[in-house]
Amino acid sequence: MVTVARVFVDANVLYSRTLRDWLCLLRKYGPEVMDGEIFIVYWTEHVLSEATYHLLKKHPAWDGAKLTQIRDRIVATFEGGRVEDFTVDGSFPGTDRNDQHVHAAAVACDADILLSDDGGFSVDEEAADDLPYEVFLPDDFFLLIEENMPEVVRRVTLEQTLYWRGRKTGRADLARPLIDAGCPEFAKRVRFHQSQLSLPAESEAKSEGKAS
């Protein structure tokens, strides 16, 4: 991975709470742990609108504050990464017309990586070789970070563990949601990091846990 990777994120990644949480927290704690940026996330209003539309479609009973909170958190975490000026020029080699704006925005921000969930970006392997960016699945992207900067993943694992232990269940199974979200290999790494953690007593964890 380049020193500071430019990552354009697709709507299907922002839609998943698990993927969204890990992306946000790796982005948040990366500079703190590494004393500098490790990647920058780029997005568009098109992508954010698509993600929130599908969230509301899945959760029609949500009140306005819930969706607004999710949207505001994304915008705040990835501040400065909004791509405002891009042109759909017919250069996208894929078959899904809905992906044209994703490609156009990734090109416009000079993305190194386009982060999209499985099946969410319709480009075959041959066409992908000619793109100016690499298409990464979340599992592969998170693994790339873990392989190069395991201390960042360890820090996020600690924060997530404290948060979930502080919930009423007192459990912090971080691997299962990752597996369900299509990140089985990264889940193995997270499970290992969890096994190495030195945690406070459960009562202390409840008071120290931070919302993800």
Side-chain angles (χ1 to χ4, degrees), residues 39-55:
F39 64 89
I40 301 171
V41 173
Y42 292 87
W43 52 278
T44 64
E45 291 293 344
H46 291 67
V47 162
L48 192 50
S49 294
E50 183 179 344
T52 54
Y53 166 78
H54 286 289
L55 280 170

Side-chain angles (χ1 to χ4, degrees), residues 141-154:
F141 178 68
F142 293 152
L143 280 173
L144 185 64
I145 294 175
E146 203 280 336
E147 288 167 1
N148 287 276
M149 289 159 281
E151 56 268 47
V152 177
V153 175
R154 188 178 306 118

Side-chain angles (χ1 to χ4, degrees), residues 14-18 20 50-68 70:
L14 297 179
Y15 168 78
S16 164
R17 176 176 181 178
T18 298
R20 184 174 69 246
E50 183 179 344
T52 54
Y53 166 78
H54 286 289
L55 280 170
L56 188 57
K57 189 174 181 181
K58 182 178 180 181
H59 305 282
W62 274 4
D63 57 31
K66 175 71 173 179
L67 203 60
T68 298
I70 292 173

Side-chain angles (χ1 to χ4, degrees), residues 13-27:
V13 177
L14 297 179
Y15 168 78
S16 164
R17 176 176 181 178
T18 298
L19 300 180
R20 184 174 69 246
D21 278 358
W22 275 96
L23 186 64
C24 285
L25 290 169
L26 289 168
R27 175 69 183 86

Side-chain angles (χ1 to χ4, degrees), residues 82-87 104-105 108-109:
R82 184 170 71 174
V83 182
E84 299 179 359
D85 188 12
F86 57 92
T87 302
C109 70

Side-chain angles (χ1 to χ4, degrees), residues 137-185:
L137 295 172
D139 200 21
D140 296 327
F141 178 68
F142 293 152
L143 280 173
L144 185 64
I145 294 175
E146 203 280 336
E147 288 167 1
N148 287 276
M149 289 159 281
E151 56 268 47
V152 177
V153 175
R154 188 178 306 118
R155 172 63 183 277
V156 175
T157 299
L158 172 61
E159 297 296 330
Q160 288 272 56
T161 301
L162 290 174
Y163 170 73
W164 287 110
R165 281 188 67 193
R167 305 284 285 186
K168 291 181 178 179
T169 59
R171 299 179 59 193
D173 183 2
L174 303 185
R176 174 48 56 186
L178 281 166
I179 293 170
D180 293 343
C183 298
E185 296 306 313

